[in-house]
Tab-separated table of all heavy atoms in Angstrom:
chain	number	residue	atom	x	y	z
A	1	MET	N	118.864	-21.871	-6.887
A	1	MET	CA	119.247	-22.252	-5.554
A	1	MET	C	119.020	-23.746	-5.331
A	1	MET	O	118.023	-24.261	-5.659
A	1	MET	CB	118.498	-21.404	-4.586
A	1	MET	CG	118.607	-21.901	-3.141
A	1	MET	SD	120.178	-21.477	-2.367
A	1	MET	CE	119.968	-19.677	-2.192
A	2	LYS	N	120.111	-24.390	-4.856
A	2	LYS	CA	119.974	-25.797	-4.482
A	2	LYS	C	120.477	-25.886	-3.037
A	2	LYS	O	121.341	-25.256	-2.609
A	2	LYS	CB	120.739	-26.673	-5.349
A	2	LYS	CG	120.288	-26.733	-6.798
A	2	LYS	CD	121.117	-27.737	-7.605
A	2	LYS	CE	120.735	-27.757	-9.084
A	2	LYS	NZ	121.480	-28.736	-9.794
A	3	TYR	N	119.985	-26.948	-2.381
A	3	TYR	CA	120.473	-27.258	-1.020
A	3	TYR	C	120.961	-28.739	-0.946
A	3	TYR	O	120.519	-29.562	-1.782
A	3	TYR	CB	119.334	-27.124	0.008
A	3	TYR	CG	119.023	-25.660	0.282
A	3	TYR	CD1	117.787	-25.086	-0.231
A	3	TYR	CD2	119.849	-24.888	1.090
A	3	TYR	CE1	117.526	-23.815	0.001
A	3	TYR	CE2	119.499	-23.547	1.381
A	3	TYR	CZ	118.345	-22.955	0.831
A	3	TYR	OH	118.103	-21.677	1.105
A	4	GLY	N	121.869	-28.963	-0.041
A	4	GLY	CA	122.284	-30.313	0.228
A	4	GLY	C	122.347	-30.526	1.765
A	4	GLY	O	122.301	-29.559	2.491
A	5	VAL	N	122.270	-31.801	2.106
A	5	VAL	CA	122.378	-32.185	3.532
A	5	VAL	C	123.596	-32.892	3.751
A	5	VAL	O	123.988	-33.849	3.082
A	5	VAL	CB	121.175	-33.055	3.921
A	5	VAL	CG1	121.232	-33.477	5.339
A	5	VAL	CG2	119.829	-32.403	3.614
A	6	ASN	N	124.430	-32.474	4.704
A	6	ASN	CA	125.738	-32.963	4.999
A	6	ASN	C	125.635	-34.091	6.083
A	6	ASN	O	124.595	-34.343	6.588
A	6	ASN	CB	126.801	-32.008	5.326
A	6	ASN	CG	126.541	-31.279	6.613
A	6	ASN	OD1	126.036	-31.877	7.567
A	6	ASN	ND2	127.013	-30.041	6.706
A	7	GLU	N	126.752	-34.664	6.391
A	7	GLU	CA	126.851	-35.833	7.266
A	7	GLU	C	126.533	-35.514	8.668
A	7	GLU	O	126.378	-36.410	9.524
A	7	GLU	CB	128.207	-36.561	7.154
A	7	GLU	CG	129.342	-35.712	7.668
A	7	GLU	CD	129.838	-34.565	6.747
A	7	GLU	OE1	129.305	-34.554	5.654
A	7	GLU	OE2	130.709	-33.805	7.190
A	8	ASN	N	126.371	-34.265	9.021
A	8	ASN	CA	125.993	-33.883	10.396
A	8	ASN	C	124.565	-34.175	10.762
A	8	ASN	O	124.146	-34.124	11.942
A	8	ASN	CB	126.300	-32.379	10.642
A	8	ASN	CG	127.806	-32.081	10.584
A	8	ASN	OD1	128.590	-32.932	10.881
A	8	ASN	ND2	128.074	-30.833	10.214
A	9	CYS	N	123.738	-34.421	9.751
A	9	CYS	CA	122.294	-34.592	9.995
A	9	CYS	C	122.051	-35.722	11.075
A	9	CYS	O	122.602	-36.827	10.988
A	9	CYS	CB	121.595	-35.019	8.658
A	9	CYS	SG	119.853	-35.451	8.922
A	10	ILE	N	121.255	-35.352	12.056
A	10	ILE	CA	120.890	-36.379	13.144
A	10	ILE	C	119.486	-36.876	12.975
A	10	ILE	O	118.974	-37.536	13.815
A	10	ILE	CB	121.112	-35.726	14.516
A	10	ILE	CG1	120.279	-34.461	14.661
A	10	ILE	CG2	122.568	-35.441	14.868
A	10	ILE	CD1	120.201	-33.860	16.126
A	11	GLY	N	118.822	-36.495	11.818
A	11	GLY	CA	117.558	-37.034	11.546
A	11	GLY	C	116.402	-36.454	12.416
A	11	GLY	O	115.366	-37.113	12.598
A	12	CYS	N	116.517	-35.222	12.819
A	12	CYS	CA	115.490	-34.660	13.666
A	12	CYS	C	114.178	-34.438	12.919
A	12	CYS	O	113.140	-34.419	13.516
A	12	CYS	CB	116.015	-33.308	14.239
A	12	CYS	SG	115.889	-31.924	13.185
A	13	GLY	N	114.227	-34.274	11.646
A	13	GLY	CA	113.029	-34.246	10.760
A	13	GLY	C	112.515	-32.782	10.590
A	13	GLY	O	111.459	-32.601	9.888
A	14	LEU	N	113.075	-31.779	11.285
A	14	LEU	CA	112.518	-30.482	11.180
A	14	LEU	C	112.442	-29.925	9.746
A	14	LEU	O	111.469	-29.378	9.380
A	14	LEU	CB	113.361	-29.446	11.972
A	14	LEU	CG	113.015	-29.118	13.419
A	14	LEU	CD1	114.030	-28.154	14.011
A	14	LEU	CD2	111.588	-28.399	13.357
A	15	CYS	N	113.494	-30.111	9.010
A	15	CYS	CA	113.504	-29.587	7.660
A	15	CYS	C	112.414	-30.173	6.831
A	15	CYS	O	111.744	-29.408	6.084
A	15	CYS	CB	114.868	-29.872	7.007
A	15	CYS	SG	115.352	-31.569	6.947
A	16	ALA	N	112.192	-31.467	6.907
A	16	ALA	CA	111.146	-32.126	6.098
A	16	ALA	C	109.731	-31.619	6.550
A	16	ALA	O	108.803	-31.484	5.731
A	16	ALA	CB	111.177	-33.591	6.190
A	17	GLY	N	109.662	-31.317	7.815
A	17	GLY	CA	108.310	-30.726	8.323
A	17	GLY	C	108.077	-29.322	7.808
A	17	GLY	O	107.011	-28.955	7.529
A	18	ILE	N	109.184	-28.519	7.802
A	18	ILE	CA	109.050	-27.122	7.395
A	18	ILE	C	108.901	-26.955	5.958
A	18	ILE	O	108.144	-26.159	5.443
A	18	ILE	CB	110.230	-26.319	7.961
A	18	ILE	CG1	110.242	-26.275	9.460
A	18	ILE	CG2	110.266	-24.913	7.333
A	18	ILE	CD1	111.490	-25.720	10.096
A	19	CYS	N	109.672	-27.743	5.206
A	19	CYS	CA	109.698	-27.601	3.733
A	19	CYS	C	109.720	-28.880	3.045
A	19	CYS	O	110.769	-29.365	2.459
A	19	CYS	CB	110.889	-26.695	3.266
A	19	CYS	SG	110.793	-26.246	1.514
A	20	PRO	N	108.640	-29.631	2.963
A	20	PRO	CA	108.586	-30.939	2.380
A	20	PRO	C	108.770	-30.913	0.882
A	20	PRO	O	108.931	-31.957	0.221
A	20	PRO	CB	107.142	-31.519	2.779
A	20	PRO	CG	106.407	-30.231	3.078
A	20	PRO	CD	107.314	-29.291	3.693
A	21	GLU	N	108.568	-29.696	0.258
A	21	GLU	CA	108.850	-29.567	-1.167
A	21	GLU	C	110.351	-29.795	-1.492
A	21	GLU	O	110.586	-30.202	-2.659
A	21	GLU	CB	108.394	-28.216	-1.594
A	21	GLU	CG	106.873	-27.963	-1.521
A	21	GLU	CD	106.483	-27.502	-0.092
A	21	GLU	OE1	107.381	-27.199	0.774
A	21	GLU	OE2	105.297	-27.368	0.161
A	22	VAL	N	111.215	-29.595	-0.585
A	22	VAL	CA	112.601	-29.699	-0.750
A	22	VAL	C	113.214	-30.829	-0.049
A	22	VAL	O	114.138	-31.479	-0.520
A	22	VAL	CB	113.324	-28.354	-0.547
A	22	VAL	CG1	114.822	-28.423	-0.717
A	22	VAL	CG2	112.710	-27.271	-1.450
A	23	PHE	N	112.850	-31.015	1.159
A	23	PHE	CA	113.534	-31.974	2.101
A	23	PHE	C	112.625	-33.152	2.390
A	23	PHE	O	111.463	-33.040	2.657
A	23	PHE	CB	114.002	-31.340	3.332
A	23	PHE	CG	114.895	-30.143	3.172
A	23	PHE	CD1	114.389	-28.863	3.197
A	23	PHE	CD2	116.185	-30.345	2.867
A	23	PHE	CE1	115.300	-27.763	2.982
A	23	PHE	CE2	117.062	-29.286	2.655
A	23	PHE	CZ	116.565	-28.006	2.693
A	24	SER	N	113.245	-34.334	2.414
A	24	SER	CA	112.477	-35.591	2.747
A	24	SER	C	113.470	-36.445	3.557
A	24	SER	O	114.686	-36.262	3.572
A	24	SER	CB	112.005	-36.316	1.521
A	24	SER	OG	113.072	-36.630	0.740
A	25	MET	N	112.858	-37.457	4.248
A	25	MET	CA	113.648	-38.315	5.028
A	25	MET	C	113.969	-39.611	4.322
A	25	MET	O	113.039	-40.193	3.679
A	25	MET	CB	112.954	-38.652	6.329
A	25	MET	CG	112.556	-37.446	7.263
A	25	MET	SD	113.939	-36.333	7.625
A	25	MET	CE	114.873	-37.338	8.769
A	26	THR	N	115.144	-40.181	4.371
A	26	THR	CA	115.460	-41.375	3.697
A	26	THR	C	115.115	-42.513	4.628
A	26	THR	O	114.834	-42.435	5.816
A	26	THR	CB	116.972	-41.468	3.387
A	26	THR	OG1	117.681	-41.594	4.618
A	26	THR	CG2	117.386	-40.120	2.622
A	27	ASP	N	115.256	-43.772	4.065
A	27	ASP	CA	115.088	-44.985	4.829
A	27	ASP	C	116.132	-45.145	5.956
A	27	ASP	O	115.925	-45.809	6.937
A	27	ASP	CB	115.147	-46.216	4.004
A	27	ASP	CG	113.906	-46.324	3.044
A	27	ASP	OD1	112.921	-45.604	3.278
A	27	ASP	OD2	113.987	-47.054	1.986
A	28	GLU	N	117.209	-44.431	5.743
A	28	GLU	CA	118.298	-44.438	6.798
A	28	GLU	C	118.043	-43.445	7.885
A	28	GLU	O	118.799	-43.427	8.871
A	28	GLU	CB	119.681	-44.150	6.120
A	28	GLU	CG	120.199	-45.262	5.247
A	28	GLU	CD	119.548	-45.404	3.914
A	28	GLU	OE1	119.207	-44.373	3.301
A	28	GLU	OE2	119.269	-46.553	3.543
A	29	GLY	N	116.972	-42.698	7.749
A	29	GLY	CA	116.613	-41.851	8.855
A	29	GLY	C	117.322	-40.478	8.857
A	29	GLY	O	117.340	-39.768	9.906
A	30	VAL	N	117.897	-40.152	7.736
A	30	VAL	CA	118.488	-38.853	7.623
A	30	VAL	C	117.736	-38.066	6.492
A	30	VAL	O	116.940	-38.628	5.748
A	30	VAL	CB	119.961	-38.848	7.371
A	30	VAL	CG1	120.710	-39.426	8.511
A	30	VAL	CG2	120.292	-39.661	6.115
A	31	ALA	N	117.966	-36.744	6.389
A	31	ALA	CA	117.334	-35.963	5.382
A	31	ALA	C	118.027	-35.969	4.084
A	31	ALA	O	119.329	-36.074	4.055
A	31	ALA	CB	117.154	-34.537	5.881
A	32	LYS	N	117.309	-35.741	3.022
A	32	LYS	CA	118.005	-35.380	1.706
A	32	LYS	C	117.174	-34.307	1.102
A	32	LYS	O	115.973	-34.067	1.341
A	32	LYS	CB	118.041	-36.681	0.806
A	32	LYS	CG	116.717	-37.162	0.357
A	32	LYS	CD	116.917	-38.272	-0.660
A	32	LYS	CE	115.675	-39.102	-0.950
A	32	LYS	NZ	114.722	-38.651	-1.786
A	33	ALA	N	117.938	-33.543	0.201
A	33	ALA	CA	117.248	-32.503	-0.493
A	33	ALA	C	117.070	-32.919	-1.931
A	33	ALA	O	117.733	-33.802	-2.466
A	33	ALA	CB	118.201	-31.259	-0.479
A	34	ILE	N	116.037	-32.315	-2.585
A	34	ILE	CA	115.823	-32.571	-3.948
A	34	ILE	C	117.024	-32.176	-4.693
A	34	ILE	O	117.706	-31.247	-4.310
A	34	ILE	CB	114.569	-31.930	-4.541
A	34	ILE	CG1	114.560	-30.394	-4.304
A	34	ILE	CG2	113.303	-32.470	-3.875
A	34	ILE	CD1	113.559	-29.628	-4.994
A	35	GLU	N	117.308	-32.880	-5.818
A	35	GLU	CA	118.575	-32.604	-6.547
A	35	GLU	C	118.376	-31.395	-7.532
A	35	GLU	O	119.371	-30.776	-7.987
A	35	GLU	CB	118.987	-33.807	-7.343
A	35	GLU	CG	119.517	-34.883	-6.435
A	35	GLU	CD	119.849	-36.196	-7.147
A	35	GLU	OE1	120.009	-36.162	-8.373
A	35	GLU	OE2	120.071	-37.170	-6.429
A	36	SER	N	117.146	-31.039	-7.794
A	36	SER	CA	116.861	-29.943	-8.739
A	36	SER	C	116.823	-28.688	-7.960
A	36	SER	O	116.870	-28.652	-6.715
A	36	SER	CB	115.631	-30.252	-9.498
A	36	SER	OG	114.543	-30.456	-8.552
A	37	GLU	N	116.690	-27.597	-8.683
A	37	GLU	CA	116.525	-26.247	-8.120
A	37	GLU	C	115.297	-26.269	-7.180
A	37	GLU	O	114.307	-26.904	-7.409
A	37	GLU	CB	116.318	-25.243	-9.201
A	37	GLU	CG	117.510	-25.008	-10.068
A	37	GLU	CD	118.595	-24.194	-9.392
A	37	GLU	OE1	118.302	-23.198	-8.715
A	37	GLU	OE2	119.814	-24.491	-9.662
A	38	VAL	N	115.388	-25.388	-6.076
A	38	VAL	CA	114.279	-25.207	-5.250
A	38	VAL	C	113.168	-24.653	-6.040
A	38	VAL	O	113.224	-23.673	-6.757
A	38	VAL	CB	114.680	-24.298	-4.056
A	38	VAL	CG1	113.419	-23.872	-3.223
A	38	VAL	CG2	115.705	-24.898	-3.177
A	39	PRO	N	111.874	-25.266	-5.967
A	39	PRO	CA	110.786	-24.799	-6.750
A	39	PRO	C	110.377	-23.256	-6.477
A	39	PRO	O	110.579	-22.868	-5.228
A	39	PRO	CB	109.636	-25.723	-6.391
A	39	PRO	CG	110.287	-26.908	-5.694
A	39	PRO	CD	111.589	-26.409	-5.133
A	40	ALA	N	109.973	-22.628	-7.453
A	40	ALA	CA	109.467	-21.256	-7.149
A	40	ALA	C	108.382	-21.294	-6.082
A	40	ALA	O	107.501	-22.186	-6.087
A	40	ALA	CB	108.952	-20.699	-8.523
A	41	GLY	N	108.469	-20.437	-5.162
A	41	GLY	CA	107.512	-20.309	-4.142
A	41	GLY	C	107.924	-21.121	-2.859
A	41	GLY	O	107.279	-20.977	-1.817
A	42	SER	N	109.038	-21.889	-2.946
A	42	SER	CA	109.426	-22.649	-1.843
A	42	SER	C	110.738	-22.070	-1.236
A	42	SER	O	111.307	-22.658	-0.297
A	42	SER	CB	109.698	-24.085	-2.145
A	42	SER	OG	108.447	-24.707	-2.459
A	43	GLU	N	111.252	-20.950	-1.820
A	43	GLU	CA	112.587	-20.452	-1.391
A	43	GLU	C	112.538	-20.055	0.078
A	43	GLU	O	113.550	-20.364	0.832
A	43	GLU	CB	112.959	-19.220	-2.253
A	43	GLU	CG	113.373	-19.560	-3.662
A	43	GLU	CD	112.163	-19.389	-4.626
A	43	GLU	OE1	111.030	-19.289	-4.105
A	43	GLU	OE2	112.401	-19.410	-5.812
A	44	SER	N	111.461	-19.457	0.503
A	44	SER	CA	111.515	-18.946	1.915
A	44	SER	C	111.359	-20.057	2.924
A	44	SER	O	112.056	-20.020	3.917
A	44	SER	CB	110.426	-17.881	2.123
A	44	SER	OG	109.149	-18.455	1.958
A	45	THR	N	110.509	-21.088	2.586
A	45	THR	CA	110.440	-22.203	3.562
A	45	THR	C	111.732	-23.030	3.534
A	45	THR	O	112.134	-23.551	4.529
A	45	THR	CB	109.210	-23.074	3.293
A	45	THR	OG1	109.159	-23.380	1.972
A	45	THR	CG2	107.916	-22.333	3.736
A	46	ALA	N	112.313	-23.162	2.406
A	46	ALA	CA	113.613	-23.870	2.298
A	46	ALA	C	114.721	-23.192	3.127
A	46	ALA	O	115.402	-23.864	3.859
A	46	ALA	CB	114.050	-24.044	0.841
A	47	ALA	N	114.746	-21.847	3.061
A	47	ALA	CA	115.705	-21.110	3.820
A	47	ALA	C	115.368	-21.193	5.302
A	47	ALA	O	116.308	-21.317	6.144
A	47	ALA	CB	115.717	-19.662	3.463
A	48	GLU	N	114.096	-21.207	5.653
A	48	GLU	CA	113.716	-21.396	7.072
A	48	GLU	C	114.159	-22.792	7.578
A	48	GLU	O	114.585	-22.870	8.672
A	48	GLU	CB	112.179	-21.200	7.194
A	48	GLU	CG	111.677	-21.239	8.630
A	48	GLU	CD	110.133	-21.179	8.702
A	48	GLU	OE1	109.545	-20.789	7.676
A	48	GLU	OE2	109.636	-21.524	9.736
A	49	ALA	N	113.968	-23.763	6.655
A	49	ALA	CA	114.359	-25.092	7.132
A	49	ALA	C	115.912	-25.156	7.349
A	49	ALA	O	116.397	-25.743	8.323
A	49	ALA	CB	113.973	-26.096	6.045
A	50	LYS	N	116.624	-24.482	6.476
A	50	LYS	CA	118.133	-24.487	6.665
A	50	LYS	C	118.380	-23.809	7.964
A	50	LYS	O	119.247	-24.295	8.767
A	50	LYS	CB	118.721	-23.667	5.502
A	50	LYS	CG	120.174	-23.396	5.642
A	50	LYS	CD	120.729	-22.576	4.472
A	50	LYS	CE	122.243	-22.486	4.498
A	50	LYS	NZ	122.679	-21.713	5.710
A	51	ASP	N	117.798	-22.638	8.229
A	51	ASP	CA	118.175	-21.974	9.474
A	51	ASP	C	117.679	-22.713	10.737
A	51	ASP	O	118.173	-22.433	11.835
A	51	ASP	CB	117.477	-20.566	9.401
A	51	ASP	CG	118.074	-19.621	8.432
A	51	ASP	OD1	119.192	-19.951	7.968
A	51	ASP	OD2	117.495	-18.618	8.026
A	52	SER	N	116.689	-23.575	10.598
A	52	SER	CA	116.116	-24.282	11.726
A	52	SER	C	116.886	-25.566	12.132
A	52	SER	O	116.726	-26.061	13.200
A	52	SER	CB	114.637	-24.627	11.441
A	52	SER	OG	113.888	-23.495	11.239
A	53	CYS	N	117.715	-26.026	11.268
A	53	CYS	CA	118.437	-27.280	11.539
A	53	CYS	C	119.258	-27.145	12.747
A	53	CYS	O	120.122	-26.174	12.737
A	53	CYS	CB	119.251	-27.720	10.318
A	53	CYS	SG	120.167	-29.289	10.667
A	54	PRO	N	119.163	-27.899	13.711
A	54	PRO	CA	119.853	-27.745	14.991
A	54	PRO	C	121.315	-28.011	14.868
A	54	PRO	O	122.102	-27.579	15.776
A	54	PRO	CB	119.203	-28.703	15.983
A	54	PRO	CG	118.576	-29.781	15.111
A	54	PRO	CD	118.188	-29.077	13.868
A	55	VAL	N	121.707	-28.726	13.890
A	55	VAL	CA	123.170	-29.023	13.788
A	55	VAL	C	123.820	-28.459	12.501
A	55	VAL	O	124.915	-28.854	12.119
A	55	VAL	CB	123.365	-30.636	13.786
A	55	VAL	CG1	122.989	-31.210	15.121
A	55	VAL	CG2	122.537	-31.325	12.695
A	56	GLY	N	123.125	-27.585	11.842
A	56	GLY	CA	123.691	-26.900	10.721
A	56	GLY	C	124.097	-27.874	9.557
A	56	GLY	O	125.037	-27.634	8.862
A	57	ALA	N	123.187	-28.869	9.290
A	57	ALA	CA	123.519	-29.917	8.346
A	57	ALA	C	123.083	-29.555	6.938
A	57	ALA	O	123.380	-30.216	5.999
A	57	ALA	CB	122.875	-31.217	8.687
A	58	ILE	N	122.313	-28.420	6.768
A	58	ILE	CA	121.848	-27.979	5.413
A	58	ILE	C	122.744	-26.905	4.902
A	58	ILE	O	122.920	-25.909	5.586
A	58	ILE	CB	120.390	-27.583	5.555
A	58	ILE	CG1	119.500	-28.731	6.022
A	58	ILE	CG2	119.904	-27.048	4.171
A	58	ILE	CD1	118.110	-28.331	6.390
A	59	GLU	N	123.210	-27.056	3.745
A	59	GLU	CA	124.143	-26.141	3.112
A	59	GLU	C	123.619	-25.824	1.630
A	59	GLU	O	122.963	-26.624	1.104
A	59	GLU	CB	125.537	-26.543	3.045
A	59	GLU	CG	125.772	-27.975	3.622
A	59	GLU	CD	127.289	-28.440	3.505
A	59	GLU	OE1	128.050	-28.041	4.407
A	59	GLU	OE2	127.518	-29.156	2.573
A	60	LYS	N	124.057	-24.678	1.257
A	60	LYS	CA	123.786	-24.323	-0.182
A	60	LYS	C	124.636	-25.322	-1.020
A	60	LYS	O	125.835	-25.472	-0.735
A	60	LYS	CB	124.079	-22.908	-0.453
A	60	LYS	CG	123.049	-21.971	0.129
A	60	LYS	CD	123.431	-20.495	-0.099
A	60	LYS	CE	122.450	-19.604	0.666
A	60	LYS	NZ	122.848	-18.225	0.586
A	61	ALA	N	124.017	-25.890	-2.031
A	61	ALA	CA	124.777	-26.803	-2.894
A	61	ALA	C	125.095	-26.139	-4.198
A	61	ALA	O	124.499	-25.153	-4.575
A	61	ALA	CB	123.958	-28.087	-3.149
B	1	F3S	FE1	118.717	-33.465	9.585
B	1	F3S	FE2	118.813	-30.933	10.175
B	1	F3S	FE3	116.859	-31.858	8.716
B	1	F3S	S1	119.259	-32.690	11.566
B	1	F3S	S2	116.597	-33.983	9.397
B	1	F3S	S3	119.009	-31.846	8.185
B	1	F3S	S4	116.686	-30.329	10.226
């Protein structure tokens, strides 16, 4: 499982707060996801981050 962040991101930061193993904030103030597979043990928090994004910017990649 991989995730990506699309152009709808408004930089609220929720995803990086919920699942910092997968999501981080860039210098541009938007989120990015790690390019590799979601680490074992982080699947549920990554899914929670996806579901928590207020603008639906996180998609399965
Ligand atoms: Fe952006 Fe959604 Fe994360 S708005 S910072 S992708 S929770």
Side-chain angles (χ1 to χ4, degrees):
M1 168 76 71
K2 293 183 183 182
Y3 287 104
V5 178
N6 69 30
E7 67 283 354
N8 292 332
C9 176
I10 56 171
C12 78
L14 260 179
C15 56
I18 292 170
C19 189
E21 295 81 9
V22 174
F23 301 100
S24 59
M25 304 306 290
T26 70
D27 291 343
E28 285 75 42
V30 294
K32 68 175 166 76
I34 57 171
E35 291 178 13
S36 53
E37 292 284 323
V38 171
S42 295
E43 290 95 346
S44 63
T45 50
E48 184 184 343
K50 176 183 184 294
D51 291 342
S52 298
C53 178
V55 293
I58 298 171
E59 1 180 81
K60 289 178 184 172

